[in-house]
Amino acid sequence: QVHLVESGGGLVQPGGSLRLSCSASGIIFSINAMDWYRQAPGKERELVAGITSGGGSNYATSVKGRFTISRDYSKNTVYLQMNSLKPEDTAVYYCHVLDRGVNYWGQGTQVTVSS
């Protein structure tokens, strides 16, 4: 059974930083690409960043240069380092994996950027 558990969200002031973590179980972590999505109130869920099994990454234009996705194979964990946060980054952030044709999501972690 696949489980994705996010942590690290919270309230931060504009310009601040947070690091999100997603611990994965039930998948062969080393061969799966992993993604972070977010969903703000009243908006559709959007892809924020993705990382391949080999460590290649891609980012949404809105976060490029501010966010960094990484993964630790020994811990089956993917991270999202978020710097220079803006109020428009406020959303619920979700970890995602497509494993053997099935989409799996974590429960989400709230990130609020506000002064």
Side-chain angles (χ1 to χ4, degrees), residues 5-102:
V5 180
E6 302 102 334
S7 60
L11 173 64
V12 63
Q13 292 187 342
S17 298
L18 284 174
R19 189 177 81 155
L20 306 183
S21 300
C22 171
S23 177
S25 60
I27 62 171
I28 304 174
F29 184 79
S30 60
I31 66 171
N32 283 103
M34 304 288 296
D35 310 293
W36 285 98
Y37 282 74
R38 67 185 180 187
Q39 188 166 20
K43 294 187 176 181
E44 293 188 354
R45 194 170 294 190
E46 63 173 353
L47 177 66
V48 176
I51 187 165
T52 67
S53 57
S57 58
N58 61 281
Y59 299 92
T61 301
S62 60
V63 306
K64 200 171 293 185
R66 300 188 296 122
F67 290 11
T68 303
I69 190 170
S70 61
R71 63 194 299 166
D72 186 331
Y73 296 93
S74 67
K75 296 181 179 179
N76 280 13
T77 299
V78 62
Y79 303 98
L80 186 67
Q81 178 66 44
M82 306 185 295
N83 298 328
S84 302
L85 282 161
K86 304 176 181 180
E88 51 264 43
D89 294 318
T90 295
V92 179
Y93 284 70
Y94 297 92
C95 184
H96 167 265
V97 66
L98 175 64
D99 182 62
R100 287 164 285 187
V102 180

